[in-house]
Amino acid sequence: MTELVHREKAHVLPLDSIRGVAATSVVIHHLLLMPTFLAAFPHNAWINCSFFRSAWLLVDLFFVLSGIVMSLGYVDGDFGRFSLREFMVRRLARVYPLHIVMLIANLLFRLLRIGLVTAGVVVAAPAAFEVNNAYSFVLNVFLLHSMGFIDYLSWNAPSWSISVEFYTYLVFGLIVLLAQRMRSLLWFYALCGLLVVGSFLFIVFVFDKRSLGLQTDFGILRCFVSFFLGVLTVKAVHSLPGKPGPALQGLLQLVAMIASIALVSLAETNPAVTFLAPLTFAIFLGSLLAFPDALLVPRILVARPLVWLGRRSYSIYMVHALVVLFAEYFVRALGPRPIAALDSIWAGLPATLNLVVSLAAVLAVSHFSYLYIEVLGGKLFRNALGSRPDFSASPAPSARLTN
């Protein structure tokens, strides 16, 4: 009998760095568009632009990238040795410790708020929980909060994407298991393609959506489109007949990167272009996977600060909402007079300072959450669930894709 052992592949550093840049862009997006900040600051922050205002679309880049990584780790080279239980344990250990810690942190914050309002220390209306109630909390515990049981964001709002992605992992694992039983990779890729096309058609024609901005409303279909397109991207890269020279490789990557940036920037005024985002992101990420030795983009993306961001990207994404919430309370407490004084010195200065300080706080918190919740918590979680010790971690990452 074939032993069910998986060995994760080395990281492709440019892909990791892209994840970090995308997560940071999502943070900036929320810092620019929070209603509290828009009401408090007379002028926008200096980096306010259409790209950051539409950076919510980069969640689909996360989904595409996850599909690529899962395909590299569990299909490419390891097909036939897949264990669904081991796979789901590893996925749960990856996402759940930080999710549950942030959920509890949000609960404690809400309880503190209720206590302060009840004591008359803080004035807020309403004082009670709104969408953050016991029912939505239980759904969050089981990662079901974006699976159609409620139609609103709750608690740690960014975790809606973790909810749909976790159950997308399960669907991916079942497809791998089915294809493995049938001993056919053709079936695997056919089913992945069917999910991409079918989910897209449902979004556009059955649910009559005008953009890809689905969250609690069928957000898992949005994840299906991007995730399984990422899976197919790996197959497409491996099927390339040959490679052009380094200069042409670099040009293709640069064009794909510019196209991705332009598409995100256009989403604000042209919502329909968001339907092109998964394919555009897949082409860009696929070019990084296919051409790791190109002249320009990969060399930029292996810079140490970007690698640092990439490793903490999940923490950046998951902790930022609570940090931004604290920033909102601080701005309210500060009041309009100091803000107006700073703005009179230089238009947009207070909004920019708020953005810089809040982003720095997110990065600082995410550093510690990465070390002590993601890494340590993930290890403890795997041990508690009996993950196989021979499921090896990847070796030290390099700029090149290695086995």
Side-chain angles (χ1 to χ4, degrees):
M1 179 180 293
T2 303
E3 186 180 8
L4 296 176
V5 179
H6 307 296
R7 299 195 178 274
E8 294 181 345
K9 304 297 184 293
H11 291 92
V12 184
L13 275 194
L15 296 183
D16 280 351
S17 297
I18 285 291
R19 196 197 307 266
V21 172
T24 304
S25 298
V26 171
V27 178
I28 294 173
H29 163 77
H30 287 130
L31 287 169
L32 290 175
L33 297 183
M34 289 303 294
T36 299
F37 300 145
L38 291 174
F41 299 129
H43 294 92
N44 293 324
W46 298 332
I47 64 169
N48 188 304
C49 64
S50 58
F51 174 81
F52 289 122
R53 290 195 298 269
S54 298
W56 59 268
L57 190 55
L58 294 175
V59 171
D60 295 279
L61 185 144
F62 297 150
F63 292 153
V64 174
L65 187 50
S66 289
I68 290 174
V69 172
M70 292 303 102
S71 185
L72 289 173
Y74 296 95
V75 179
D76 186 32
D78 279 339
F79 185 74
R81 296 182 291 172
F82 182 79
S83 164
L84 182 61
R85 180 192 180 279
E86 185 66 38
F87 172 70
M88 293 307 297
V89 166
R90 301 290 295 192
R91 292 301 93 211
L92 193 61
R94 176 71 181 92
V95 301
Y96 199 73
L98 186 55
H99 167 69
I100 201 68
V101 167
M102 293 310 302
L103 181 60
I104 293 171
N106 274 272
L107 173 63
L108 294 176
F109 180 86
R110 300 296 178 181
L111 291 174
L112 176 62
R113 176 177 177 267
I114 292 291
L116 293 176
V117 171
T118 303
V121 177
V122 174
V123 177
F129 292 172
E130 304 89 22
V131 297
N132 296 327
N133 50 49
Y135 178 57
S136 62
F137 185 87
V138 172
L139 291 176
N140 271 265
V141 168
F142 292 100
L143 289 168
L144 291 167
H145 51 295
S146 291
M147 296 297 293
F149 296 98
I150 51 178
D151 59 357
Y152 50 81
L153 296 176
S154 61
W155 299 99
N156 190 26
S159 69
W160 77 266
S161 64
I162 307 306
S163 169
V164 299
E165 190 167 351
F166 178 76
Y167 289 100
T168 300
Y169 290 149
L170 178 59
V171 173
F172 169 81
L174 290 172
I175 293 174
V176 174
L177 195 62
L178 176 62
Q180 182 174 274
R181 295 283 174 84
M182 300 182 71
R183 299 182 179 181
S184 172
L185 269 175
L186 180 61
W187 273 100
F188 171 75
Y189 289 115
L191 290 171
C192 289
L194 185 62
L195 274 173
V196 171
V197 175
S199 299
F200 183 82
L201 292 178
F202 260 81
I203 291 171
V204 176
F205 296 107
V206 178
F207 300 130
D208 196 28
K209 298 295 182 180
R210 302 304 185 201
S211 79
L212 201 58
L214 297 83
Q215 294 177 325
T216 56
D217 52 340
F218 313 108
I220 194 166
L221 294 181
R222 174 183 175 184
C223 187
F224 280 175
V225 171
S226 296
F227 181 95
F228 288 104
L229 193 58
V231 172
L232 296 175
T233 297
V234 176
K235 173 63 175 174
V237 167
H238 290 338
S239 300
L240 290 175
K243 292 184 179 181
L248 184 54
Q249 291 179 18
L251 179 61
L252 292 172
Q253 286 179 344
L254 186 61
V255 169
M257 183 177 71
I258 293 172
S260 298
I261 294 170
L263 186 142
V264 173
S265 301
L266 288 170
E268 183 178 34
T269 55
N270 300 277
V273 305
T274 59
F275 291 120
L276 298 174
L279 180 60
T280 305
F281 295 152
I283 292 172
F284 174 47
L285 296 173
S287 73
L288 294 175
L289 183 64
F291 310 135
D293 300 316
L295 291 179
L296 181 61
V297 179
R299 300 184 186 188
I300 294 173
L301 292 175
V302 296
R304 290 177 65 88
L306 296 183
V307 172
W308 188 92
L309 281 180
R311 287 175 177 166
R312 289 151 184 82
S313 57
Y314 180 54
S315 278
I316 291 170
Y317 182 74
M318 289 293 284
V319 309
H320 83 270
L322 188 58
V323 174
V324 171
L325 187 59
F326 276 103
E328 287 186 86
Y329 275 83
F330 176 79
V331 168
R332 288 172 184 159
L334 190 62
R337 188 170 298 176
I339 292 173
L342 282 172
D343 201 72
S344 65
I345 297 172
W346 197 345
L349 178 60
T352 303
L353 285 175
N354 175 67
L355 189 150
V356 171
V357 172
S358 299
L359 182 57
V362 169
L363 296 180
V365 173
S366 67
H367 173 68
F368 291 102
S369 64
Y370 167 73
L371 292 177
Y372 300 110
I373 302 175
E374 279 195 67
V375 176
L376 182 59
K379 182 178 180 180
L380 294 173
F381 205 93
R382 289 192 300 273
N383 291 339
L385 292 179
S387 180
R388 294 175 62 97
D390 52 6
F391 192 121
S392 65
S394 60
S398 65
R400 230 180 236 278
L401 176 65
T402 58
N403 290 329

